[in-house]
Tab-separated table of all heavy atoms in Angstrom:
chain	number	residue	atom	x	y	z
A	1	ASN	N	79.688	27.944	-72.967
A	1	ASN	CA	79.939	27.604	-74.378
A	1	ASN	C	78.781	28.205	-75.178
A	1	ASN	O	77.585	27.853	-75.040
A	1	ASN	CB	79.946	26.063	-74.540
A	1	ASN	CG	80.490	25.683	-75.924
A	1	ASN	OD1	80.203	26.354	-76.915
A	1	ASN	ND2	81.263	24.616	-75.976
A	2	PRO	N	79.062	29.061	-76.181
A	2	PRO	CA	78.010	29.666	-77.040
A	2	PRO	C	77.468	28.821	-78.107
A	2	PRO	O	76.470	29.153	-78.757
A	2	PRO	CB	78.656	30.896	-77.508
A	2	PRO	CG	80.100	30.537	-77.738
A	2	PRO	CD	80.356	29.578	-76.542
A	3	HIS	N	78.100	27.643	-78.346
A	3	HIS	CA	77.699	26.861	-79.507
A	3	HIS	C	76.481	26.023	-79.175
A	3	HIS	O	76.095	25.770	-78.040
A	3	HIS	CB	78.872	25.907	-79.923
A	3	HIS	CG	80.082	26.627	-80.371
A	3	HIS	ND1	80.138	27.343	-81.595
A	3	HIS	CD2	81.334	26.844	-79.804
A	3	HIS	CE1	81.350	27.894	-81.722
A	3	HIS	NE2	82.061	27.530	-80.704
A	4	SER	N	75.807	25.544	-80.249
A	4	SER	CA	74.658	24.717	-80.092
A	4	SER	C	75.067	23.413	-79.499
A	4	SER	O	76.185	22.958	-79.535
A	4	SER	CB	73.969	24.497	-81.398
A	4	SER	OG	74.730	23.751	-82.289
A	5	PHE	N	74.028	22.685	-78.894
A	5	PHE	CA	74.269	21.373	-78.365
A	5	PHE	C	74.698	20.354	-79.356
A	5	PHE	O	75.284	19.298	-79.008
A	5	PHE	CB	73.093	20.875	-77.596
A	5	PHE	CG	72.707	21.817	-76.443
A	5	PHE	CD1	71.443	22.538	-76.439
A	5	PHE	CD2	73.529	21.950	-75.383
A	5	PHE	CE1	71.150	23.323	-75.371
A	5	PHE	CE2	73.234	22.824	-74.308
A	5	PHE	CZ	72.079	23.477	-74.277
A	6	ASN	N	74.419	20.585	-80.665
A	6	ASN	CA	74.737	19.613	-81.678
A	6	ASN	C	76.245	19.687	-82.099
A	6	ASN	O	76.753	18.759	-82.723
A	6	ASN	CB	73.894	19.823	-82.906
A	6	ASN	CG	72.414	19.448	-82.614
A	6	ASN	OD1	72.119	18.609	-81.847
A	6	ASN	ND2	71.478	20.168	-83.239
A	7	GLY	N	76.829	20.866	-81.823
A	7	GLY	CA	78.190	21.084	-82.302
A	7	GLY	C	79.244	20.731	-81.212
A	7	GLY	O	78.887	20.692	-79.998
A	8	VAL	N	80.397	20.503	-81.639
A	8	VAL	CA	81.508	20.266	-80.639
A	8	VAL	C	82.620	21.277	-80.982
A	8	VAL	O	83.009	21.410	-82.082
A	8	VAL	CB	82.019	18.771	-80.785
A	8	VAL	CG1	83.166	18.599	-79.756
A	8	VAL	CG2	80.938	17.794	-80.598
A	9	SER	N	83.109	21.969	-80.009
A	9	SER	CA	84.144	22.999	-80.201
A	9	SER	C	85.497	22.531	-79.823
A	9	SER	O	85.670	21.591	-78.941
A	9	SER	CB	83.756	24.238	-79.468
A	9	SER	OG	83.748	24.016	-78.080
A	10	VAL	N	86.485	23.156	-80.392
A	10	VAL	CA	87.885	22.961	-80.004
A	10	VAL	C	88.446	24.127	-79.287
A	10	VAL	O	88.245	25.263	-79.738
A	10	VAL	CB	88.702	22.605	-81.265
A	10	VAL	CG1	90.191	22.762	-81.001
A	10	VAL	CG2	88.473	21.230	-81.812
A	11	THR	N	89.089	23.890	-78.216
A	11	THR	CA	89.789	24.966	-77.464
A	11	THR	C	91.164	25.241	-78.171
A	11	THR	O	92.017	24.395	-77.979
A	11	THR	CB	89.891	24.691	-75.973
A	11	THR	OG1	88.592	24.580	-75.453
A	11	THR	CG2	90.642	25.784	-75.266
A	12	GLN	N	91.306	26.332	-78.920
A	12	GLN	CA	92.587	26.613	-79.535
A	12	GLN	C	93.416	27.428	-78.557
A	12	GLN	O	94.658	27.542	-78.684
A	12	GLN	CB	92.376	27.342	-80.763
A	12	GLN	CG	91.583	26.544	-81.816
A	12	GLN	CD	91.458	27.314	-83.180
A	12	GLN	OE1	92.397	27.990	-83.545
A	12	GLN	NE2	90.359	27.093	-83.826
A	13	GLY	N	92.797	28.116	-77.568
A	13	GLY	CA	93.518	28.933	-76.639
A	13	GLY	C	92.549	29.355	-75.581
A	13	GLY	O	91.354	29.317	-75.745
A	14	PHE	N	93.133	29.807	-74.436
A	14	PHE	CA	92.281	30.354	-73.435
A	14	PHE	C	93.067	31.249	-72.491
A	14	PHE	O	94.301	31.186	-72.445
A	14	PHE	CB	91.596	29.233	-72.589
A	14	PHE	CG	92.611	28.394	-71.787
A	14	PHE	CD1	92.876	28.714	-70.440
A	14	PHE	CD2	93.141	27.264	-72.341
A	14	PHE	CE1	93.739	27.918	-69.695
A	14	PHE	CE2	94.039	26.471	-71.506
A	14	PHE	CZ	94.314	26.823	-70.222
A	15	ALA	N	92.409	32.155	-71.807
A	15	ALA	CA	93.015	33.020	-70.940
A	15	ALA	C	92.708	32.657	-69.505
A	15	ALA	O	91.504	32.331	-69.189
A	15	ALA	CB	92.565	34.578	-71.170
A	16	GLN	N	93.691	32.755	-68.674
A	16	GLN	CA	93.492	32.450	-67.236
A	16	GLN	C	94.065	33.549	-66.413
A	16	GLN	O	95.279	33.883	-66.379
A	16	GLN	CB	94.287	31.148	-66.943
A	16	GLN	CG	93.933	30.544	-65.548
A	16	GLN	CD	94.602	29.222	-65.402
A	16	GLN	OE1	95.827	29.189	-65.275
A	16	GLN	NE2	93.927	28.170	-65.483
A	17	GLY	N	93.169	34.327	-65.827
A	17	GLY	CA	93.591	35.522	-65.105
A	17	GLY	C	93.188	35.468	-63.674
A	17	GLY	O	92.010	35.487	-63.316
A	18	LYS	N	94.137	35.368	-62.786
A	18	LYS	CA	93.855	35.284	-61.319
A	18	LYS	C	93.886	36.716	-60.823
A	18	LYS	O	94.837	37.500	-61.044
A	18	LYS	CB	94.948	34.507	-60.626
A	18	LYS	CG	94.713	34.487	-59.110
A	18	LYS	CD	95.830	33.667	-58.461
A	18	LYS	CE	95.677	33.652	-56.894
A	18	LYS	NZ	96.802	32.967	-56.242
A	19	ILE	N	92.805	37.094	-60.158
A	19	ILE	CA	92.686	38.449	-59.613
A	19	ILE	C	92.807	38.340	-58.016
A	19	ILE	O	91.844	37.708	-57.425
A	19	ILE	CB	91.416	39.167	-59.931
A	19	ILE	CG1	91.281	39.266	-61.514
A	19	ILE	CG2	91.328	40.580	-59.369
A	19	ILE	CD1	90.046	39.942	-62.001
A	20	SER	N	93.802	38.817	-57.499
A	20	SER	CA	93.907	38.784	-56.025
A	20	SER	C	93.591	40.191	-55.453
A	20	SER	O	93.894	41.252	-56.015
A	20	SER	CB	95.396	38.478	-55.591
A	20	SER	OG	96.291	39.329	-56.177
A	21	MET	N	92.949	40.130	-54.262
A	21	MET	CA	92.629	41.372	-53.544
A	21	MET	C	93.204	41.381	-52.185
A	21	MET	O	93.234	40.352	-51.459
A	21	MET	CB	91.150	41.530	-53.474
A	21	MET	CG	90.650	42.882	-52.825
A	21	MET	SD	88.873	42.896	-52.378
A	21	MET	CE	88.924	41.847	-50.904
A	22	LYS	N	93.739	42.488	-51.831
A	22	LYS	CA	94.271	42.582	-50.477
A	22	LYS	C	93.808	43.950	-49.826
A	22	LYS	O	93.806	44.982	-50.494
A	22	LYS	CB	95.757	42.705	-50.503
A	22	LYS	CG	96.430	42.834	-49.098
A	22	LYS	CD	97.946	42.827	-49.242
A	22	LYS	CE	98.597	43.036	-47.827
A	22	LYS	NZ	100.102	43.052	-47.954
A	23	ALA	N	93.171	43.833	-48.669
A	23	ALA	CA	92.619	44.978	-47.988
A	23	ALA	C	93.240	45.207	-46.645
A	23	ALA	O	93.527	44.191	-45.890
A	23	ALA	CB	91.093	44.882	-47.894
A	24	GLU	N	93.595	46.380	-46.222
A	24	GLU	CA	94.176	46.687	-44.976
A	24	GLU	C	93.543	47.937	-44.321
A	24	GLU	O	93.373	48.891	-44.994
A	24	GLU	CB	95.672	46.866	-45.101
A	24	GLU	CG	96.385	47.118	-43.744
A	24	GLU	CD	97.858	47.230	-43.962
A	24	GLU	OE1	98.338	47.380	-45.114
A	24	GLU	OE2	98.600	47.246	-42.961
A	25	VAL	N	93.196	47.851	-43.132
A	25	VAL	CA	92.586	48.965	-42.377
A	25	VAL	C	93.480	49.345	-41.214
A	25	VAL	O	93.834	48.477	-40.355
A	25	VAL	CB	91.187	48.640	-41.803
A	25	VAL	CG1	90.528	49.823	-41.186
A	25	VAL	CG2	90.299	48.149	-42.986
A	26	LYS	N	93.884	50.569	-41.218
A	26	LYS	CA	94.795	51.092	-40.146
A	26	LYS	C	94.030	52.143	-39.304
A	26	LYS	O	93.558	53.124	-39.910
A	26	LYS	CB	96.068	51.628	-40.695
A	26	LYS	CG	97.011	52.185	-39.662
A	26	LYS	CD	98.305	52.746	-40.219
A	26	LYS	CE	99.223	53.324	-39.152
A	26	LYS	NZ	100.417	53.957	-39.761
A	27	LEU	N	93.942	51.891	-38.046
A	27	LEU	CA	93.274	52.916	-37.127
A	27	LEU	C	94.323	53.624	-36.358
A	27	LEU	O	95.460	53.158	-36.178
A	27	LEU	CB	92.324	52.160	-36.163
A	27	LEU	CG	91.200	51.354	-36.760
A	27	LEU	CD1	90.337	50.759	-35.655
A	27	LEU	CD2	90.352	52.186	-37.703
A	28	ASP	N	93.993	54.785	-35.907
A	28	ASP	CA	94.799	55.549	-34.975
A	28	ASP	C	93.912	56.029	-33.869
A	28	ASP	O	92.691	55.944	-33.903
A	28	ASP	CB	95.452	56.678	-35.664
A	28	ASP	CG	96.754	57.138	-35.006
A	28	ASP	OD1	96.985	56.697	-33.832
A	28	ASP	OD2	97.526	57.908	-35.612
A	29	TYR	N	94.523	56.476	-32.747
A	29	TYR	CA	93.784	56.837	-31.607
A	29	TYR	C	94.482	57.878	-30.765
A	29	TYR	O	95.665	58.140	-30.934
A	29	TYR	CB	93.440	55.636	-30.734
A	29	TYR	CG	94.640	55.112	-30.037
A	29	TYR	CD1	94.968	55.458	-28.736
A	29	TYR	CD2	95.499	54.210	-30.697
A	29	TYR	CE1	96.073	54.911	-28.100
A	29	TYR	CE2	96.649	53.687	-30.054
A	29	TYR	CZ	96.889	54.112	-28.782
A	29	TYR	OH	98.081	53.555	-28.127
A	30	SER	N	93.730	58.531	-29.937
A	30	SER	CA	94.356	59.407	-28.909
A	30	SER	C	93.657	59.137	-27.653
A	30	SER	O	92.482	58.615	-27.614
A	30	SER	CB	94.143	60.920	-29.317
A	30	SER	OG	92.753	61.213	-29.440
A	31	THR	N	94.253	59.380	-26.492
A	31	THR	CA	93.625	59.116	-25.178
A	31	THR	C	93.260	60.411	-24.453
A	31	THR	O	93.814	61.476	-24.733
A	31	THR	CB	94.559	58.303	-24.266
A	31	THR	OG1	95.829	59.003	-24.155
A	31	THR	CG2	94.869	56.988	-24.917
A	32	LEU	N	92.266	60.300	-23.629
A	32	LEU	CA	91.842	61.427	-22.793
A	32	LEU	C	91.929	60.969	-21.348
A	32	LEU	O	91.058	60.473	-20.657
A	32	LEU	CB	90.388	61.746	-23.091
A	32	LEU	CG	90.035	62.069	-24.563
A	32	LEU	CD1	88.550	62.157	-24.880
A	32	LEU	CD2	90.669	63.426	-24.980
A	33	PRO	N	93.188	61.119	-20.850
A	33	PRO	CA	93.443	60.596	-19.515
A	33	PRO	C	92.480	61.104	-18.457
A	33	PRO	O	92.137	60.452	-17.503
A	33	PRO	CB	94.891	61.073	-19.228
A	33	PRO	CG	95.501	61.292	-20.568
A	33	PRO	CD	94.334	61.784	-21.446
A	34	GLN	N	92.142	62.362	-18.502
A	34	GLN	CA	91.268	62.948	-17.441
A	34	GLN	C	89.888	62.275	-17.441
A	34	GLN	O	89.182	62.301	-16.408
A	34	GLN	CB	91.144	64.448	-17.641
A	34	GLN	CG	90.341	64.902	-18.958
A	34	GLN	CD	91.248	65.049	-20.125
A	34	GLN	OE1	92.167	64.245	-20.386
A	34	GLN	NE2	90.985	66.067	-20.933
A	35	TYR	N	89.497	61.692	-18.613
A	35	TYR	CA	88.214	60.989	-18.718
A	35	TYR	C	88.393	59.486	-18.734
A	35	TYR	O	87.414	58.784	-18.780
A	35	TYR	CB	87.418	61.418	-19.922
A	35	TYR	CG	87.070	62.882	-19.875
A	35	TYR	CD1	87.682	63.756	-20.761
A	35	TYR	CD2	86.008	63.369	-19.118
A	35	TYR	CE1	87.306	65.160	-20.734
A	35	TYR	CE2	85.656	64.704	-19.144
A	35	TYR	CZ	86.288	65.567	-19.938
A	35	TYR	OH	85.931	66.938	-19.887
A	36	ARG	N	89.724	59.007	-18.784
A	36	ARG	CA	89.849	57.600	-18.935
A	36	ARG	C	89.187	57.071	-20.144
A	36	ARG	O	88.443	56.071	-20.129
A	36	ARG	CB	89.519	56.811	-17.705
A	36	ARG	CG	90.362	57.175	-16.468
A	36	ARG	CD	89.929	56.415	-15.281
A	36	ARG	NE	90.726	56.725	-14.108
A	36	ARG	CZ	90.641	56.194	-12.925
A	36	ARG	NH1	89.669	55.212	-12.672
A	36	ARG	NH2	91.422	56.472	-11.876
A	37	ALA	N	89.375	57.836	-21.277
A	37	ALA	CA	88.685	57.455	-22.516
A	37	ALA	C	89.598	57.681	-23.683
A	37	ALA	O	90.757	58.020	-23.537
A	37	ALA	CB	87.443	58.422	-22.602
A	38	ALA	N	89.067	57.336	-24.835
A	38	ALA	CA	89.855	57.413	-26.059
A	38	ALA	C	89.014	57.783	-27.274
A	38	ALA	O	87.770	57.644	-27.258
A	38	ALA	CB	90.546	56.000	-26.357
A	39	CYS	N	89.730	58.276	-28.262
A	39	CYS	CA	89.144	58.614	-29.579
A	39	CYS	C	89.702	57.729	-30.533
A	39	CYS	O	90.943	57.566	-30.575
A	39	CYS	CB	89.305	60.065	-29.935
A	39	CYS	SG	88.811	61.326	-28.660
A	40	LEU	N	88.937	57.073	-31.408
A	40	LEU	CA	89.413	56.220	-32.466
A	40	LEU	C	89.008	56.760	-33.887
A	40	LEU	O	87.891	57.273	-34.023
A	40	LEU	CB	88.821	54.813	-32.334
A	40	LEU	CG	88.930	54.179	-30.989
A	40	LEU	CD1	88.082	52.891	-31.010
A	40	LEU	CD2	90.322	53.814	-30.647
A	41	TRP	N	89.914	56.651	-34.745
A	41	TRP	CA	89.522	57.058	-36.207
A	41	TRP	C	90.315	56.250	-37.216
A	41	TRP	O	91.334	55.497	-36.941
A	41	TRP	CB	89.863	58.556	-36.374
A	41	TRP	CG	91.290	58.914	-36.205
A	41	TRP	CD1	92.280	58.833	-37.140
A	41	TRP	CD2	92.010	59.337	-35.038
A	41	TRP	NE1	93.512	59.277	-36.709
A	41	TRP	CE2	93.293	59.580	-35.405
A	41	TRP	CE3	91.537	59.661	-33.758
A	41	TRP	CZ2	94.229	60.034	-34.418
A	41	TRP	CZ3	92.453	60.141	-32.776
A	41	TRP	CH2	93.833	60.304	-33.166
A	42	TYR	N	89.696	56.264	-38.425
A	42	TYR	CA	90.398	55.540	-39.503
A	42	TYR	C	91.515	56.413	-40.042
A	42	TYR	O	91.367	57.507	-40.477
A	42	TYR	CB	89.363	55.364	-40.689
A	42	TYR	CG	88.272	54.410	-40.442
A	42	TYR	CD1	86.971	54.848	-40.071
A	42	TYR	CD2	88.478	53.088	-40.399
A	42	TYR	CE1	85.937	53.949	-39.875
A	42	TYR	CE2	87.409	52.160	-40.186
A	42	TYR	CZ	86.222	52.623	-39.911
A	42	TYR	OH	85.155	51.678	-39.638
A	43	ASP	N	92.707	55.840	-39.986
A	43	ASP	CA	93.882	56.562	-40.452
A	43	ASP	C	94.086	56.262	-41.957
A	43	ASP	O	94.154	57.226	-42.777
A	43	ASP	CB	95.115	56.097	-39.702
A	43	ASP	CG	96.400	56.819	-40.223
A	43	ASP	OD1	96.615	57.964	-39.813
A	43	ASP	OD2	97.160	56.231	-40.971
A	44	THR	N	94.110	55.026	-42.346
A	44	THR	CA	94.351	54.652	-43.726
A	44	THR	C	93.555	53.358	-44.091
A	44	THR	O	93.523	52.429	-43.258
A	44	THR	CB	95.880	54.367	-44.028
A	44	THR	OG1	96.602	55.498	-43.575
A	44	THR	CG2	96.027	54.065	-45.495
């Protein structure tokens, strides 16, 4: 509240904004059978 402590304010209106966030990590890989190993990388 920006008003002084001596004043009293009236709420004539207000904004209420919900911000949602969604994050997804997709990996991909390939195998190296001859080494019994794999390579991993960020796909998306």
